[in-house]
């Protein structure tokens, strides 16, 4: 059995460290945020990993605390996953170890803030780069998960879908007595596991056709489906402002939509992120700080 207790104790000790160093939100920045949201009737929002670090989920790119800053490990590449059975074995061994904890993460104040805006008919559309399902858990429905969700698994041959919780039960049944010890956290339902444990792990396959199973997410090195890209741009065409929260936008999949919003549609842009972003040159408004703090202060001020 996967050692959930060890994971939970580790999270309690280290989870808060996943938010990078930051200054408190200033009164001027809070006023900037308040006025930007108040001026919009059809707000379009893009969120990234920075919105979920406050829920205890490690991200990739944050300075000092992200995976790229703290480890030489890199996420699984799509091509490697397709070609190499040992890569798939390692991926599923680590994902299986992480799943009990990852699936228990809860939405934080920022996720709930945007769900509230939607319920008040003040949010036009929300796009998240995250695969953690936390916006959905918070109640958001006008939502596109740009990179998919780890809560669904697809067979790459017959395209049959299976819920991740259901697959977890089958994996554990096929690996009786398998009990790895997690050795550290990584983003997106991933933890580090000793290579000896990986080698003894039995990789799951499709029950219907025996094909390769993959979380229904866009891996590094994989493209976002064209239909999803077009649908997001269509939603942007109906918006009157664009807001980026908790993302450096270093990945092209999200960067292109903000460029479309700003350069093609001329939408007002506000970026809330700790640190630099790839679109700082586009001339939008910029707030550097923890989004949960900002939205909580804004809610208290406006009784949202």
């Amino acid at each position: 059995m996967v050692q959930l207790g060890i994971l939970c104790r580790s999270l309690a000790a280290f989870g808060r460290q996943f938010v990078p160093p930051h200054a408190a939100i200033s009164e001027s920045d809070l006023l900037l945020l308040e006025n930007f949201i108040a001026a919009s009737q059809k707000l379009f929002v893009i969120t990234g990993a920075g919105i979920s670090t406050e829920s205890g989920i490690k991200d990739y790119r944050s300075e000092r605390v992200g995976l790229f800053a703290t480890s030489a490990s890199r996420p699984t590449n799509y091509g490697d996953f397709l070609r190499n059975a040992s890569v798939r074995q390692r991926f599923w061994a680590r994902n299986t170890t992480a799943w009990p904890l990852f699936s228990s993460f809860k939405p934080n104040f920022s996720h709930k803030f945007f769900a509230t805006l939607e319920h008040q008919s003040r949010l036009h559309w929300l796009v998240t780069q995250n695969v953690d399902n936390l916006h959905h858990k918070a109640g958001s429905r006008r939502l596109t998960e740009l990179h998919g969700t780890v809560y669904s698994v697809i067979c790459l041959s017959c395209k049959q879908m299976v819920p991740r919780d259901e697959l977890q039960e089958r994996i554990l049944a096929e690996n009786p007595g398998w009990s790895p010890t997690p050795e550290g956290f990584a983003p997106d339902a991933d933890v580090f596991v000793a290579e000896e444990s990986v080698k003894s792990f039995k990789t799951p396959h499709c029950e219907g056709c025996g094909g390769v199973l993959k979380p229904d997410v866009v891996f590094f090195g994989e493209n976002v489906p064209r239909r999803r890209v077009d649908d997001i741009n269509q939603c942007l065409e109906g918006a009157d402002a664009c807001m980026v929260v908790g993302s450096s936008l270093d990945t092209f999949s999200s960067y292109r939509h903000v460029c479309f919003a700003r350069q093609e549609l001329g939408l007002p842009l506000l970026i809330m992120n700790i640190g630099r972003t790839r679109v700082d040159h586009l001339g939008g408004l910029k707030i550097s700080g923890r989004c949960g703090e900002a939205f909580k202060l804004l809610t208290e001020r406006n009784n949202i």
Side-chain angles (χ1 to χ4, degrees):
M1 179 180 292
V2 176
Q3 301 183 37
L4 177 60
I6 294 175
L7 282 169
C8 289
R9 288 193 294 274
S10 298
L11 178 66
F14 299 109
R16 295 296 181 184
Q17 298 180 12
F18 298 155
V19 179
H22 58 278
I25 296 293
S26 68
E27 177 63 26
S28 59
D29 280 348
L30 187 61
L31 184 60
L32 189 71
L33 176 64
E34 180 180 24
N35 290 339
F36 186 87
I37 293 177
S40 174
Q41 300 300 313
K42 296 181 178 180
L43 181 63
F44 183 100
V45 178
I46 297 179
T47 67
I51 200 173
S52 292
T53 54
E54 294 178 50
S55 289
I57 300 176
K58 191 180 185 76
D59 71 0
Y60 290 105
R61 294 181 173 85
S62 286
E63 294 183 7
R64 304 188 191 181
V65 296
L67 178 72
F68 294 165
T70 59
S71 171
S73 177
R74 291 297 179 263
T76 302
N77 178 273
Y78 181 57
D80 294 338
F81 184 87
L82 291 181
R83 291 187 295 266
N84 196 322
S86 65
V87 171
R88 295 194 294 273
Q89 181 186 40
R90 180 179 298 105
F91 174 88
W92 281 114
R94 290 167 55 147
N95 185 268
T96 298
T97 306
W99 186 250
L101 177 61
F102 190 84
S103 60
S104 73
F105 284 123
K106 293 179 171 37
N108 62 50
F109 196 94
S110 297
H111 299 104
K112 296 173 183 177
F113 177 83
F114 288 117
T116 298
L117 285 188
E118 178 186 329
H119 298 157
Q120 295 175 346
S121 300
R122 299 169 64 187
L123 179 74
H124 177 62
W125 204 260
L126 172 64
V127 172
T128 184
Q129 299 172 76
N130 303 333
V131 299
D132 53 34
N133 207 41
L134 293 186
H135 279 298
H136 195 271
K137 287 183 178 180
S140 291
R141 295 299 178 265
R142 296 181 65 82
L143 169 69
T144 298
E145 292 168 313
L146 179 62
H147 298 140
T149 173
V150 293
Y151 278 74
S152 294
V153 177
I154 186 171
C155 172
L156 297 182
S157 296
C158 71
K159 308 306 178 185
Q160 179 180 348
M161 303 289 291
V162 59
R164 182 61 185 82
D165 284 330
E166 180 180 318
L167 180 63
Q168 182 77 0
E169 295 178 5
R170 180 154 63 87
I171 290 174
L172 295 180
E174 293 175 355
N175 289 273
W178 189 71
S179 183
T181 299
E183 299 181 343
F185 293 100
D188 297 343
D190 188 18
V191 295
F192 300 117
V193 173
E195 201 62 28
E196 289 183 4
S197 295
V198 170
K199 290 178 180 177
S200 64
F201 179 81
K202 183 178 179 181
T203 307
H205 294 86
C206 177
E207 281 192 310
C209 72
V212 171
L213 292 178
K214 171 184 169 292
D216 192 22
V217 301
V218 177
F219 275 29
F220 279 70
E222 186 179 6
N223 293 323
V224 175
R226 185 70 233 179
R227 176 64 181 272
R228 193 177 302 165
V229 173
D230 293 341
D231 287 347
I232 291 172
N233 282 342
Q234 186 174 359
C235 287
L236 267 169
E237 290 174 348
D240 62 10
C242 179
M243 183 175 177
V244 177
V245 179
S247 177
S248 64
L249 299 171
D250 277 345
T251 60
F252 180 74
S253 57
S254 55
Y255 169 75
R256 62 180 162 195
H257 292 299
V258 179
C259 288
F260 179 73
R262 188 67 170 160
Q263 297 177 320
E264 300 297 323
L265 301 178
L267 295 181
L269 173 66
L270 185 144
I271 304 163
M272 180 184 295
N273 188 59
I274 300 174
R276 56 156 292 278
T277 79
R278 191 176 176 182
V279 297
D280 288 346
H281 67 285
L282 293 183
L285 304 173
K286 181 76 181 289
I287 297 174
S288 180
R290 184 166 63 86
C291 49
E293 175 192 5
F295 293 135
K296 186 173 183 179
L297 290 171
L298 187 61
T299 298
E300 291 171 350
R301 174 180 291 194
N302 292 279
N303 194 28
I304 295 177

